Amino acid sequence: MKTIKMAFSLFALLLMISCGNDNSKQEVFDSLKKEVLKVHDEVMPKMGKINTLITELDSKIDTTEMGKSYEKAKQELEESHDMMMSWMKNFGDQFGGTIAKDSLDEKIQLLEQEDIKVNDLKEKINSSIKNAEDLLGNQ
């Protein structure tokens, strides 16, 4: 699905560039940005769950094998949380202001990369939550 979306986006971009239509480029940009933010909005509410799971796991960490499993799950959750915070800062830095018409092509390419990054982030967050919940028995 992601590959089809990326292929469509690339095709649309090439079509817009060949036509030289700035309004169409703006539409492609806006559409890609909306898709990226949609994924962000889907996983952002999970940050609270991550913090709760970190607290639960922290109380169970010890030197036993199970305790080490809890520690590893906690580290994965912390990495997921840090990835989200870092992604949001970088995204805001790149796309928070006004986009000049002459930089639309570059920004569209950057958004296509951000789409990949935010979907990877979503997978990391979901898998770290699932792992922690499985360990804690909170399915």
Side-chain angles (χ1 to χ4, degrees):
M1 177 75 168
K2 190 167 42 171
T3 306
I4 293 170
K5 192 166 49 169
M6 290 299 293
F8 175 74
S9 297
L10 184 57
F11 174 74
L13 174 63
L14 292 174
L15 182 63
M16 298 310 129
I17 291 170
S18 67
C19 295
N21 187 335
D22 283 338
N23 287 336
S24 294
K25 286 181 189 179
Q26 185 66 50
E27 289 172 14
V28 170
F29 173 84
D30 292 343
S31 177
L32 283 169
K33 187 173 180 183
K34 184 178 178 180
E35 285 298 313
V36 169
L37 291 174
K38 181 179 173 185
V39 176
H40 163 269
D41 293 347
E42 179 184 334
V43 294
M44 186 61 195
K46 296 180 181 185
M47 293 299 100
K49 183 173 202 77
I50 285 176
N51 290 330
T52 300
L53 289 168
I54 287 171
T55 301
E56 278 186 65
L57 289 166
D58 199 39
S59 67
K60 297 184 179 293
I61 295 172
D62 58 29
T63 58
T64 65
E65 283 304 311
M66 194 62 178
K68 291 176 184 178
S69 295
Y70 290 135
E71 184 173 21
K72 183 174 188 270
K74 178 186 169 198
Q75 288 172 343
E76 289 175 359
L77 289 166
E78 289 171 336
E79 288 172 10
S80 295
H81 185 274
D82 292 347
M83 282 176 66
M84 173 59 99
M85 296 301 116
S86 178
W87 181 87
M88 288 189 313
K89 181 188 178 324
N90 291 335
F91 188 84
D93 290 348
Q94 287 183 340
F95 301 101
T98 305
I99 307 297
K101 292 281 186 205
D102 60 350
S103 68
L104 270 177
D105 292 338
E106 177 185 332
K107 293 295 182 180
I108 288 170
Q109 288 178 330
L110 289 173
L111 269 176
E112 289 172 341
Q113 294 169 7
E114 290 303 314
D115 186 50
I116 293 167
K117 288 178 190 175
V118 79
N119 278 293
D120 289 345
L121 175 61
K122 175 183 169 182
E123 289 176 27
K124 171 77 172 162
I125 287 170
N126 288 336
S127 69
S128 65
I129 288 173
K130 181 180 180 336
N131 182 44
E133 287 178 335
D134 287 350
L135 277 171
L136 293 167
N138 292 336
Q139 301 178 28

